[in-house]
Structure formats: C-alpha cells, structure tokens
Amino acid sequence: MTSGSHLSIWFFVGILLAFYGLIIAGAGIYGWFVPPQVHLAQYHADLWWGLLLLAIGVFYCYHFAPRKARAR
Amino acid sequence: MTTTLAWIDYLIMLIYLAFVLGIGFALKKFMKTSEDFFLSGRSIPAWVAGLAFISANLGAQEVIGMAASGAKYGIATSHFYWLGAIPAMVFVGIFMMPFYYGSRAHSVPEYLRLRFDEKTRGLNAITFAAMTVLSSGISMLAMAKLIVVLHIFDAPFASLGLSSEWIFHASIVLSAVIVLGYVYLGGLTSAIYNEVLQFFLIVAGFLPLVLLGLKNVGGWDGLRHSLPTGFTHAWVGMSQASTNPLGVEVFGLAMGLGFVLSFGYWCTDFLVVQRAMAADSMTSARRTPLIAAIPKMFFPFLVIMPGLIAIALPAVQEAAAQPGKAATATSWPSKGLIPAEAEKDPKTGEMVPKYLRQAGSDEPLLDANGQKQYAYDYNLAIPNMLLHYFPTGMLGLGLTALLASFMSGMAGNITAFNTVGTYDIYKAYINRSGTDRHYIWIGQLATLFGTIVSIAAAYAAAQFNNIMDALQLVFGFVNAPLFATFLLGMFWKRTTGHGAFFGLLSGTAAAAIFQSLTLPAGAGPGIKGGWLANLHTFPSEMAQNFWLAIFAWTTCFLVTIAVSLFTKAREDKDLVGLVYSLTEKPREDHLSWYKRPLALGIVVLIMTAALNLIFY
C-alpha cells in the first residue's frame, strides 16, 4: 500500500525475509559442520533456502525502501 | 530421526510476533477516519488486496485440513481449488464486484439492505457476526491444541517452573492478545498487511518441505508409484460415488462443491469480499479475486502435496507415534508419517490405537486382508512432515508459517466482525447519528468484544467436542442458501425483499430437515444427522454435505422466485447500480488487455482447466 499510508507492505516483507534468511543461513552454516538429526540433512536445505530468502529480502528492502517509494 | 525446537526456532517465532504488533503500531497514526479503520480508506492496490484475499481464507485449519484431506483422499482434494474456489473467484471478480464496490456499501449485509430491505440485512448481519466470532474461537482452539501437541512451549514453561497445563491457556491468551493488538491499532490495513506477510511465510515455510519430500520419494513418478491407485488422479473414478475416495459422483461434486458451496463462500462471505472492497478503484476491486486466483490455483502443491508425501513415505514409527518428541521404539500403527489416533482402553485404562468399528457394534472393521482398520490422525501430516525434514531454523520458519495462518484466520474474522458489528448492527439499530470518531471507537470496542467472545467460544468448544461439529453444521445451513439470494438479487430485478428474506429462511430450514433425515455411512443418529429418521445413507460425510447444500440452495432459489412473484417489486430507478441489467458496465478500454478483468478471468480459467487435465 502506498497512497493511504506511505508505508509499503513490500518493504515490511523484505525486512522479515532478510532477517529470516540471515538466521536460517547462519543455522545452515553451523549445520554444515554439525549435521542436524533430520532426513536429507546432506542437502543442506537450510543453508540454500536461507541464502535465497536473504537475497529476496534484500532486494525487496532496497527496491521498496520508503524514501525510494515516495520518489517513484 | 526428527528435530526438536532450539532457541533459533523460538527467536524466529518471536520476531514474527513482535513484527505483527510493530506493524499495528506503525499504522496506528494513519487511522484517521472510520473508512480508514474498516476499509483501509479504500486505498489498497490490487496486488496487495489479492494476496490478502487468499490469505484471509488460508487459516491454519485450511492448511492443516487440506494436507489431512490430501493424505485421506489424495489429489482429488484439489477439487476444492480447481473446481470450487477458482471459478467462483473469477465469477465474483467479473460479475459481482461491480455491485459490491459500485454501490459504495461498507459490507455485504449493507448491500443486502440497499438491494432488498432492512430485515434481510439484519438476518444476514446477525448470523454472519455470530459465525465470525465463533470461527475465530475455533481457530484459536486449533492453534492452542497444535502448540500443545507439538510441545512448542514445553521448554520455556519448564524453565519458568510452570506446569504444562498452563500451555493451553497461555496459547489462547497470547494469540488473542496479539490479534487484538494489531487489529485494534491498525484496523483492516493491519490485518491485510499481516495477511500479505502470511502469504510469503506460507510459501517460504512450505515450499522447501514439498521439495524435500518429493526428492525423498523419487519425484512425482516415485510418489505415484508409492500411493494407492486413484490417489494421484483428480477425475478418474468420479462417474460413480463408489469408485473414488471422496464417495461423491460427478454431479454432486460439480453442483454441490463447484457451484453452491464455493460460489456461496467466495461470492458472499464478507470475510473475503471485504479485502476486495478495500481496493483503491473499481478495476482494482475486480482484479483482486482474479489476481488471487493465480497463486491460489497452485496452492494444492503447497498444502495438499505434503499430505500425499506423508503417507507415501515408509512408516517412520518414531516420528509418527510421538510428535515433537525424540525417537522412541514403538509398534504404534501408522500410515507413513501419520499415526493412528489414540483412545483409552476401557478395560486397562491405557491409551491404545483407535480402530474403526462396524456400524452399531464394537467389532472392528476389517480390510480385505482381515486386518483391523485404524482411524488415522491425518491432521498430523503437516506437523510431522516439518519435524521429519526441517532442521533447526527451518523448523521455526515452518511453525511461524502455521502461527501466521492461525493469526490471519482469527484477524480476518475479527475485522469482518467489527465492520458488520459497527455498520450493520450498532449503526443500524442502536445509534444512527454518531460522529465518525465515535464509530471508530465502536469498531475498536467491537474488536475487543469479538476477541473476548472468541476466547469464550474456544473454551466452550474445548469442553464439548460436539459444539465444533454443531457449529460447522449451522454454518452449512446458513451459507448454502445464501448464494441463491445474491444470484437472484443481482441478476433478476423482479426479486423482492420479502422473497429474499423468506427464501433464506426456507433454505436454512430445508438444510436442517435434510440433515435430520439422512446419515453418512458408519455414523449413528445424532450430530451427523438422522435425528428424525434415516431415509437415505450417503457413502461419505462429504457426499451428505454436498447434497445438503444443493437441496438448501434449490429451496431458497425456488421460494425466493415464488414469493417475489407474489410481492411488489421495487421500481427500476431504485435499483440502478444494484442489479446487472440496470447498471452501466465498467469501461476498461483504456487498460492494456492483460489488466482487463475479463481477459484476466479467461486466462485464469484456461490455466485451471489445464491443471484439471494434467492431473486428470
């Protein structure tokens, strides 16, 4: 939403995904050295998924930052 | 081999809870008028409204329930999407939204007042308000039960020296306080923002689950080979009730689910329609359900597929028997990751696997090999999949996606309740001349009141299991005929207020009579039906529900027409903007083709038809 509140929801989405990406990728790096007790742990889903969330989150944060959104 | 919750998982859940409250605080300063609070100032872009439109419906009961149905019935569960929801969403976007949005009504009941009369609005407003708070209470209860089953709060409570009995109460109060907080502060905008967040969380939390599961079972081909025949087909065997897992034949499915129930829900339920009414223009409002339909048609892959994968996996006893606990050796029966339900043995008092019984006796129902058939707890499909595949961190994300679904389900109901409670009950019958500021205050009060009633409903449903079944029954009685009223009201100008009112009442009565005279297979007279007599037994509960809906809808349709023909219709000039034939069609020539609702609707239908064909 932009016209009513000047607070873009996409910016909030970006912050949350970036946060989560960072935490999950961090846990993934730890899991690389201390494998977790789950099935298919060898694929390191947490590391790759965390990095993907981080990348999407950072993109949303940058693209929909409040100052940029107002300028557009 | 399963994972247990660690501090990172708690951190992820805490960040989410803090975030949703933060959004409420951030939006508080923008809540200046009642239109801001109840309809987001009609300023929501189509994409945001579209994502909120699907998320408002995607409560955790739906997420958990769809996976459970997937495990029980297979890919045929996707009929709820590909035959039910999507065509209905296209219909509401193209044909019905111009009346909802164009009439400038604040709510669906208010449209009924404009089109028909005060008594029809009153009937709809009161039943709808009651259903929303009760649904919100059921959602709250389901969340508290899941938190208890998954032992999510066990560790923090143990460290505080509190007994595990408090977890249930704390879960109810916590969810109520958070939802109350963000709806109270930011109104509908806050709820919509959180619904958009929920959409992203569901995708982020469940997509890796499906990908890992498919990898584990050898992809789609591997899944097909490990499941019973018919589980990976949506249409094969649908010509007869006895040859498909749903126990419904194609007419009952298409008319009952595809037409009456789905159109009834998506086209008339204010909970979802409110999201489109908050859009920033007529075109955006019409595009809202159409945009929502695109991700919605792919949701079976996120919410039904985990159920299929859960039963395709080789039995993993330790995960199934003790969800949330570390591995223990046990011979508890399970179907893949799904354990049999537990019941108390009356002789020994121990918990034993629950088995299916022959009608009217305690004798076990046996399968073709002479083995006992167990009642499986299909609701554990998603939770057990999360514990099976997700390491620390990912597990927190998956659980947060579930929490977000519960919260959105509750908030959706509460926002719909506060709007209908304020505009259609308080303003209509108690105080018509309040200031705008006064109605915002009433809306906030209604939010508080709705939350408190939801808590009471959650505890009532926890005490008496039948209350939940009874409520769902009443919802069916009320919702099934409603679409006939709207269809006639919008497309036949001769429909009168008396016709609509008595049509609705007779449709509800017809549903109750139908239910009292029929039973699903394997059930005795009582809450499942047959309490007056048993004239017909349906192969499944689903078949009974679909035929009940058809019966109620047809009664309402016919009675509305009959009464309308004998009562005085309103003049044409009073119906401009409310009836199809008397309303100017929205002009969209200036839009590029892909932004026009009709073109978008056709694309959506073609894509849905393709999915039906692929999974035929």
Side-chain angles (χ1 to χ4, degrees):
Chain A
M1 191 168 112
T2 50
S3 56
S5 66
H6 304 293
L7 282 174
S8 167
I9 177 61
W10 311 120
F11 180 63
F12 283 117
V13 169
I15 296 174
L16 194 67
L17 291 184
F19 249 124
Y20 281 173
L22 204 61
I23 295 171
I24 291 168
I29 293 170
Y30 176 77
W32 195 284
F33 300 103
V34 186
Q37 293 292 303
V38 287
H39 288 76
L40 306 188
Q42 68 273 26
Y43 292 111
H44 302 287
D46 43 0
L47 179 59
W48 307 123
W49 197 249
L51 289 175
L52 182 67
L53 292 184
L54 181 62
I56 296 171
V58 167
F59 171 76
Y60 267 57
C61 282
Y62 172 76
H63 196 71
F64 298 104
R67 195 173 297 164
K68 237 182 127 179
R70 263 201 294 276
R72 276 187 290 130
Chain B
M1 214 165 49
T2 59
T3 190
T4 47
L5 287 163
W7 66 270
I8 291 181
D9 302 308
Y10 290 113
L11 177 67
I12 287 177
M13 285 185 264
L14 267 179
I15 288 175
Y16 168 73
L17 297 179
F19 209 79
V20 296
L21 280 178
I23 288 180
F25 277 106
L27 292 173
K28 185 172 178 281
K29 60 182 171 187
F30 300 109
M31 296 299 114
K32 294 194 171 75
T33 66
S34 59
E35 188 117 327
D36 290 334
F37 188 78
F38 296 113
L39 280 176
S40 297
R42 296 199 197 249
S43 63
I44 302 282
W47 266 95
V48 177
L51 294 185
F53 193 88
I54 37 174
S55 293
N57 158 262
L58 199 71
Q61 280 138 304
E62 206 210 0
V63 174
I64 300 230
M66 281 293 147
S69 278
K72 199 172 175 183
Y73 303 117
I75 205 89
T77 306
S78 60
H79 285 308
F80 281 90
Y81 291 78
W82 299 336
L83 180 69
I86 308 291
M89 288 160 85
V90 171
F91 186 82
V92 72
I94 292 177
F95 294 107
M96 293 178 76
M97 205 45 78
F99 307 117
Y100 284 139
Y101 198 88
S103 68
R104 305 301 285 178
H106 292 94
S107 66
V108 167
E110 193 176 349
Y111 170 81
L112 286 175
R113 181 184 66 81
L114 296 170
R115 171 63 186 87
F116 297 119
D117 53 19
E118 195 59 59
K119 65 177 179 300
T120 312
R121 183 250 282 262
L123 178 66
N124 182 247
I126 291 166
T127 49
F128 179 78
M131 289 195 302
T132 49
V133 284
L134 297 173
S135 299
S136 160
I138 290 175
S139 204
M140 217 175 252
L141 172 66
M143 173 168 164
K145 277 183 166 174
L146 188 77
I147 286 173
V148 170
V149 166
L150 290 178
H151 307 278
I152 292 176
F153 290 156
D154 283 17
F157 270 67
S159 65
L160 291 171
L162 291 167
S163 76
S164 57
E165 284 168 22
W166 285 98
I167 295 174
F168 180 83
H169 307 301
S171 307
I172 297 251
V173 172
L174 184 72
S175 60
V177 166
I178 290 170
V179 169
L180 174 68
Y182 76 74
V183 175
Y184 190 92
L185 292 166
L188 181 64
T189 314
S190 204
I192 288 180
Y193 271 37
N194 281 299
E195 282 154 9
V196 174
L197 276 189
Q198 179 216 342
F199 173 84
F200 282 89
L201 285 172
I202 287 273
V203 176
F206 287 2
L207 186 58
L209 188 68
V210 173
L211 295 177
L212 284 169
L214 279 177
K215 177 81 189 159
N216 200 184
V217 296
W220 175 246
D221 279 339
L223 186 65
R224 270 194 324 165
H225 288 120
S226 9
L227 289 173
T229 324
F231 261 58
T232 47
H233 287 284
W235 286 101
V236 171
M238 277 294 163
S239 58
Q240 289 176 44
S242 57
T243 52
N244 69 77
L246 298 178
V248 192
E249 80 301 338
V250 71
F251 179 78
L253 184 76
M255 181 72 185
L257 172 67
F259 184 63
V260 178
L261 287 176
S262 298
F263 278 66
Y265 177 75
W266 290 100
C267 300
T268 71
D269 196 306
F270 182 53
L271 171 66
V272 284
V273 172
Q274 188 179 25
R275 273 69 197 154
M277 286 167 90
D280 57 12
S281 67
M282 168 69 91
T283 308
S284 289
R286 295 182 72 201
R287 285 170 62 213
T288 293
L290 301 169
I291 288 172
I294 296 173
K296 179 88 181 168
M297 74 176 76
F298 296 106
F299 262 61
F301 300 107
L302 281 182
V303 297
I304 297 176
M305 197 70 91
L308 290 170
I309 296 168
I311 56 162
L313 288 169
V316 185
Q317 306 279 2
E318 75 271 23
Q322 295 284 319
K325 285 267 174 79
T328 52
T330 170
S331 58
W332 196 273
S334 69
K335 198 192 262 187
L337 291 182
I338 297 172
E341 286 179 38
E343 65 179 350
K344 200 178 250 179
D345 187 328
K347 290 176 194 152
T348 63
E350 281 181 17
M351 295 309 279
V352 292
K354 183 178 177 183
Y355 57 87
L356 298 176
R357 282 142 170 105
Q358 293 176 18
S361 83
D362 200 38
E363 288 302 305
L365 204 61
L366 302 178
D367 63 14
N369 302 322
Q371 299 291 314
K372 261 187 193 175
Q373 291 194 50
Y374 290 100
Y376 293 100
D377 196 350
Y378 292 105
N379 282 334
L380 286 176
I382 290 256
N384 280 348
M385 284 279 287
L386 292 174
L387 295 169
H388 189 66
Y389 288 119
F390 276 2
T392 298
M394 294 280 278
L395 182 61
L397 181 63
L399 292 175
T400 304
L402 279 180
L403 282 185
S405 305
F406 278 114
M407 301 272 181
S408 293
M410 269 183 267
N413 278 300
I414 297 286
T415 48
F417 172 81
N418 68 23
T419 309
V420 169
T422 304
Y423 282 118
D424 297 296
I425 296 176
Y426 181 79
K427 195 175 178 184
Y429 303 113
I430 299 170
N431 179 3
R432 282 175 192 271
S433 54
T435 60
D436 196 62
R437 191 77 228 151
H438 176 70
Y439 290 124
I440 296 185
W441 183 74
I442 291 295
Q444 289 173 325
L445 208 62
T447 308
L448 180 65
F449 176 75
T451 311
I452 292 170
V453 177
S454 302
I455 294 176
Y459 275 101
Q463 286 295 314
F464 305 102
N465 218 2
N466 275 351
I467 285 189
M468 209 130 116
D469 288 338
L471 285 178
Q472 270 155 4
L473 204 61
V474 175
F475 295 173
F477 292 179
V478 174
N479 275 340
L482 201 56
F483 183 59
T485 310
F486 277 86
L487 202 61
L488 286 168
M490 286 181 172
F491 297 98
W492 189 45
K493 64 180 184 176
R494 185 69 187 74
T495 319
T496 66
H498 291 314
F501 182 75
F502 291 107
L504 274 178
L505 283 184
S506 56
T508 302
I513 293 170
F514 184 93
Q515 209 260 354
S516 70
L517 297 174
T518 59
L519 265 176
I527 197 86
K528 302 285 182 199
W531 31 278
L532 284 183
N534 183 18
L535 302 184
H536 183 75
T537 303
F538 287 97
S540 67
E541 267 180 57
M542 209 177 271
Q544 186 195 25
N545 285 341
F546 292 173
W547 279 102
L548 179 143
I550 295 170
F551 195 72
W553 184 89
T554 311
T555 308
C556 177
F557 190 78
L558 295 177
V559 171
T560 306
I561 292 175
V563 176
S564 293
L565 289 174
F566 286 103
T567 45
K568 190 173 178 295
R570 291 171 68 186
E571 289 182 33
D572 283 4
K573 67 177 173 51
D574 296 333
L575 297 175
V576 174
L578 300 168
V579 175
Y580 191 77
S581 59
L582 300 173
T583 303
E584 197 183 339
K585 307 295 166 288
R587 291 184 65 86
E588 273 135 10
D589 307 343
H590 60 289
L591 296 171
S592 40
W593 72 268
Y594 59 88
K595 284 188 175 170
R596 290 180 198 167
L598 185 62
L600 199 54
I602 292 170
V603 170
V604 166
L605 288 179
I606 292 172
M607 287 167 74
T608 312
L611 284 169
N612 273 295
L613 277 177
I614 292 168
F615 292 94
Y616 180 80

